[in-house]
Amino acid sequence: AILDSVQRGEYDLGIVPIESSTTGQYAQHYTYLVHRCKNLRVLAETSHRLRPCLAAKPGTDTSSIKNVVSHPQVLLWCGQYLAALDEKNGGIRRDTATST
């Protein structure tokens, strides 16, 4: 959606992830950029450490968590933490959102 919007001229600039040190290349963005966006080019690259957080209502104890929703990539980044939480709580459901 971001690359499409820039290509149509709705925005001057778009920022998309291309690679993650944890989960590797974002194949969908890279492939799209190389094969479908003939009039776009990469202007710059930056590295940024992402620090996802677990957000819940005030007073929520982690032992009561049964469902987690996030972008699929973030669920992968937090895999070890979620596996420990899963074991502690007797199973949690992971749900994906296309945007967080």
Side-chain angles (χ1 to χ4, degrees), residues 31-91:
T31 301
Y32 194 84
L33 192 57
V34 169
H35 297 290
R36 303 251 336 254
C37 296
K38 302 299 182 191
N39 64 339
L40 298 182
R41 63 186 175 101
V42 175
L43 295 176
E45 179 180 336
T46 184
S47 295
H48 184 73
R49 182 176 179 200
L50 299 177
R51 297 179 63 174
C53 67
L54 181 61
K57 292 180 180 178
T60 301
D61 188 273
T62 57
S63 64
S64 68
I65 295 173
K66 299 295 180 197
N67 299 289
V68 176
V69 63
S70 187
H71 188 278
Q73 199 73 28
V74 177
L75 291 174
L76 291 172
W77 291 337
C78 300
Q80 287 182 327
Y81 178 80
L82 291 175
L85 193 63
D86 196 28
E87 186 175 316
K88 176 183 170 188
N89 293 1

